[in-house]
Amino acid sequence: MADRKAINKYYPPDWDPSKGSVNKYQKSHPLRDRARKIDQGILVVRFEMPFNVWCLKCNNHVGMGVRYNAEKSKVGNYYTTPVYQFKMKCHLCDNYFVIRTDPAKFDYSIDEGARRQAEQTIDVKAEEVRAGSMNQDAGPSRLLLQTAEEAKLRITDSMLKLEKRVEDRMKSDANQPSLHDLKKWRDLREDSFSMNQLVRSQYRKRRKEAEKSKERDKKLLKKTSLKITLVEPASCDRRQAKKILSDKKKADLERSRKIYLSGSKY
């Protein structure tokens, strides 16, 4: 039944084409329950949370990727790009989230019901340097920032910016040999047209040789009335064939000599 509803295979007995489409005759929409508010410009869609948020009512965390049945509606335009709004109910309480598209920033913005979790990272090494407890043997690690104050640390802390600049310079110096090799390899293969022309000419040459070999084998099979699959000759095959021909030639000469000696000289 669901399959027939989805692709409109069911036709009522009292319906005929003169009454219009089946959906019009039954006064239903092709999208069924998803379009129950289509007269208000609202369509129910499956919406996936684009980032981590905190619900403002139950204070629970909603992770990125959680899916909801959201009411989608058009609320405006950014130049010629439409701005859509998605309204969905929190699955942990009776609160509603309202999220809009933000074409100006290529992102989403939260209008009400939730707040976005700040997800920026800094090196723990800088914090340990200021605390005086840096471990020289410890490898680089990352710290997830949860507040806007910590997110501003990379902008306001001069020592952290200096450390990042030094680290970037060291990484650049370490990658110089690899970059040099890549540039050299690119320069050697920069003329793509010539390389392509060379490859195509070699391919044409091999193809013509294969066609000639196939035609030669076809003539040989027709001449000998054989129905076998011929393979490419090997060096050992050539040596064996020469030996057979040489032995046959010697046998013919020996036979001719015996016939000559047994017969009359005159």
Side-chain angles (χ1 to χ4, degrees):
M1 187 65 182
D3 180 64
R4 294 199 303 272
K5 282 186 175 181
I7 57 180
N8 293 328
K9 281 188 176 180
Y10 174 73
Y11 295 93
D14 54 346
W15 174 85
D16 59 76
S18 62
K19 297 179 181 179
S21 65
V22 177
N23 292 321
K24 183 179 179 181
Y25 177 73
Q26 293 183 327
K27 297 181 180 180
S28 62
H29 195 275
L31 297 178
R32 305 293 173 178
D33 292 339
R34 292 176 53 196
R36 58 181 178 270
K37 296 183 180 179
I38 197 68
D39 56 335
Q40 305 174 23
I42 297 174
L43 180 66
V44 178
V45 298
R46 196 68 173 164
F47 182 80
E48 183 174 320
M49 191 64 68
F51 36 67
N52 296 320
V53 299
W54 294 92
C55 179
L56 294 181
K57 187 170 184 178
C58 62
N59 292 325
N60 283 313
H61 178 264
V62 179
M64 179 177 61
V66 178
R67 297 180 180 180
Y68 295 94
N69 291 329
E71 296 181 352
K72 176 183 176 182
S73 59
K74 182 180 177 181
V75 294
N77 287 287
Y78 176 75
Y79 294 99
T80 58
T81 303
V83 177
Y84 293 104
Q85 175 180 284
F86 301 90
K87 183 178 180 181
M88 65 213 79
K89 184 177 179 295
C90 178
H91 66 287
L92 300 171
C93 64
D94 57 354
N95 186 31
Y96 281 88
F97 306 145
V98 179
I99 298 178
R100 290 190 182 188
T101 58
D102 190 357
K105 299 180 180 178
F106 302 98
D107 200 359
Y108 291 89
S109 61
I110 301 176
D111 281 3
E112 60 182 66
R115 62 180 176 87
R116 186 169 181 174
Q117 174 183 336
E119 291 185 356
Q120 298 184 13
T121 58
I122 63 170
D123 288 337
V124 180
K125 186 177 178 181
E127 296 287 343
E128 294 176 350
V129 168
R130 281 190 292 275
S133 60
M134 185 182 69
N135 185 3
Q136 298 294 336
D137 299 330
S141 56
R142 309 293 287 177
L143 176 65
L144 183 64
L145 301 181
Q146 302 292 341
T147 62
E149 290 76 10
E150 293 176 344
K152 294 179 181 178
L153 183 62
R154 298 185 65 175
I155 302 175
T156 58
D157 194 333
S158 301
M159 290 299 297
L160 179 59
K161 290 193 291 184
L162 179 61
E163 288 177 0
K164 296 297 293 183
R165 194 179 302 119
V166 172
E167 289 179 4
D168 292 341
R169 189 179 298 113
M170 292 174 63
K171 289 180 181 179
S172 177
D173 295 339
N175 293 330
Q176 281 300 323
S178 300
L179 292 175
H180 178 72
D181 294 340
L182 289 174
K183 290 179 180 179
K184 185 178 180 181
W185 184 86
R186 184 194 62 184
D187 294 339
L188 291 174
R189 293 159 178 80
E190 188 174 4
D191 192 0
S192 58
F193 176 77
S194 300
M195 296 295 295
N196 187 26
Q197 188 179 27
L198 177 62
V199 171
R200 290 175 67 86
S201 63
Q202 292 177 354
Y203 170 73
R204 283 194 298 268
K205 184 179 179 181
R206 290 196 301 268
R207 187 187 62 186
K208 289 180 180 179
E209 291 177 354
E211 290 176 354
K212 289 181 180 179
S213 177
K214 186 177 180 180
E215 188 67 24
R216 185 171 59 251
D217 294 345
K218 186 177 180 181
K219 290 181 180 179
L220 179 60
L221 292 175
K222 185 177 180 180
K223 182 179 179 181
T224 57
S225 300
L226 296 175
K227 293 184 179 180
I228 59 175
T229 302
L230 299 178
V231 297
E232 291 293 330
S235 57
C236 59
D237 296 335
R238 292 191 179 94
R239 290 195 299 268
Q240 188 70 18
K242 288 181 179 180
K243 184 179 179 182
I244 292 173
L245 291 175
S246 178
D247 294 343
K248 184 179 179 182
K249 189 174 182 180
K250 289 180 180 179
D252 292 342
L253 289 174
E254 184 66 23
R255 190 182 305 109
S256 299
R257 189 179 67 84
K258 289 181 179 180
I259 293 173
Y260 176 76
L261 293 176
S262 62
S264 176
K265 295 182 180 180
Y266 302 99

